[in-house]
Amino acid sequence: MTTNIVDVDDLTGDQLHEVLDLAAELKAAQRAGDGRKPLTDRTLAMIFEKPSTRTRVSFETGMTQLGGHAIFLGPDDIHLGHGEPIKDTARAVSRYADFIMARVFDHDDIVELAEYATVPVINGLTDDAHPCQTLADLLTIRERFGGFDTDVAWVGDGNNVCQSFVIGAAMTDIDLTVATPEGYGIAGDVRDRAAELGNAPEETTDPDAAIEGADIVYTDVWVSMGQEDRREQKLQDFDGFQLTTDRVGDRPVMHCLPAHRGEEITDDLLESDNAIVWDQAENRLHAQNGLLAWLAE
């Protein structure tokens, strides 16, 4: 049976730790100049409806490091669901590539792609979930704290990055508090899944209350790609949720990037020693390498 990673909990708890262990091993080997090549002659097809710096560069670099090859399929190269049904694209590309990574708008598209593909499908981001970012986040937290015995405050929008992190936190027993404006919280089904995993987050509309007991503070943009028409309303609704140096104190700060400096986070905080965002960004590469190598085993 093909394993697809549509969201983090497509992995079991044990499998999640296996992926993170393998990611750490591959990272250490790469830095020691002893890069392993478990994906020699393997091909990753990368389908992009949404552009991205980190997703493309990290996956393409990772496949090269692991001995394989990545093919970029942008909006002008492939018409996912337009001109050809998604299920036909899934079945055809499966005959050529060993893995498919897709970064799309509609979460149902990645679900359909995974249903009909006969090779592993990895969600590179949808409007509902971003599991690859969560793997990088968890690897970063584990490196920083030596494990997951931490309290994390999410401050901002209960968006796709937040929702996958909620699931990842539940799977690793991270104590998480999510602070969002009224009406911007996580989806009910995400809350239910986290509860079933045994560790649903606390939710509040008070960012300072969330930060008070936190070891780490995490934020993301308030206006995501595709929400530009809601920009003015969202900036108004999120007034009072900006992360500043004074608000955060000496706590490490995470951000999945790209950041809208001066909106959800101040420039000086992002440039401070408290920001561990570049560790997160690098760990996209290593976490995904771990995932790809694990899927190939």
Side-chain angles (χ1 to χ4, degrees):
M1 181 178 177
T2 301
T3 299
N4 299 304
I5 309 300
V6 174
D7 208 344
V8 186
D9 50 348
D10 284 326
L11 298 165
T12 67
D14 288 343
Q15 289 170 339
L16 174 60
H17 286 285
E18 288 171 10
V19 168
L20 294 175
D21 287 344
L22 187 51
E25 290 172 16
L26 291 169
K27 180 177 181 177
Q30 188 69 33
R31 288 189 166 184
D34 184 26
R36 306 174 193 174
K37 306 293 184 184
L39 300 185
T40 299
D41 296 329
R42 303 288 186 98
T43 299
L44 169 69
M46 306 189 301
I47 298 173
F48 281 81
E49 281 188 338
K50 287 186 173 186
S52 171
T53 301
R54 277 150 291 277
T55 298
R56 179 176 180 180
V57 175
S58 59
F59 268 111
E60 198 161 332
T61 300
M63 284 299 292
T64 300
Q65 288 180 348
L66 300 178
H69 174 64
I71 300 173
F72 174 79
L73 299 168
D76 295 331
D77 304 309
I78 189 171
H79 300 285
L80 193 68
H82 306 287
E84 181 177 61
I86 291 171
K87 61 185 179 181
D88 290 0
T89 299
R91 289 183 287 210
V93 175
S94 294
R95 299 297 182 102
Y96 310 132
D98 300 281
F99 315 93
I100 299 171
M101 184 282 295
R103 182 179 171 92
V104 299
F105 287 92
D106 191 336
H107 191 78
D108 288 342
D109 287 350
I110 198 83
V111 172
E112 184 175 356
L113 197 64
E115 180 181 356
Y116 287 95
T118 55
V119 298
V121 171
I122 300 169
N123 180 358
L125 176 142
T126 68
D127 286 344
D128 291 353
H130 198 351
C132 292
Q133 182 63 53
T134 294
L135 293 177
D137 297 338
L138 294 175
L139 183 60
T140 304
I141 290 170
R142 192 174 84 161
E143 288 175 345
R144 184 81 176 193
F145 290 90
F148 299 110
D149 185 16
T150 58
D151 291 275
V152 179
W154 175 279
V155 177
D157 194 6
N159 62 11
N160 49 0
V161 176
C162 177
Q163 294 192 147
S164 286
F165 187 75
V166 165
I167 300 301
M171 294 177 71
T172 52
D173 290 326
I174 289 172
D175 289 323
L176 174 64
T177 302
V178 175
T180 67
E182 194 71 40
Y184 289 97
I186 59 175
D189 68 299
V190 172
R191 186 182 307 109
D192 292 343
R193 283 158 58 200
E196 289 174 7
L197 290 164
N199 194 14
E202 292 187 23
E203 297 177 77
T204 180
T205 57
D206 184 343
D208 292 312
I211 292 170
E212 184 177 1
D215 301 305
I216 305 170
V217 185
Y218 196 167
T219 193
D220 190 15
V221 295
W222 298 336
V223 184
S224 298
M225 193 181 304
Q227 297 181 341
E228 289 78 11
D229 60 333
R230 300 173 56 197
R231 177 177 176 78
E232 293 308 316
Q233 183 62 56
K234 292 198 80 173
L235 292 181
Q236 181 178 332
D237 293 344
F238 281 83
D239 184 42
F241 277 76
Q242 184 184 71
L243 294 189
T244 65
T245 302
D246 288 343
R247 170 172 268 174
V248 169
D250 61 358
R251 299 171 180 85
V253 174
M254 299 174 69
H255 193 305
C256 68
L257 302 177
H260 292 168
R261 296 172 185 243
E263 291 183 9
E264 75 278 358
I265 189 168
T266 58
D267 185 79
D268 66 310
L269 178 55
L270 197 60
E271 292 292 338
S272 74
D273 292 338
N274 287 27
I276 57 174
V277 300
W278 311 115
D279 295 332
Q280 277 179 276
E282 179 186 344
N283 279 336
R284 282 291 302 277
L285 169 66
H286 305 300
Q288 291 161 189
N289 282 357
L291 178 61
L292 287 162
W294 181 84
L295 288 168
E297 288 181 345

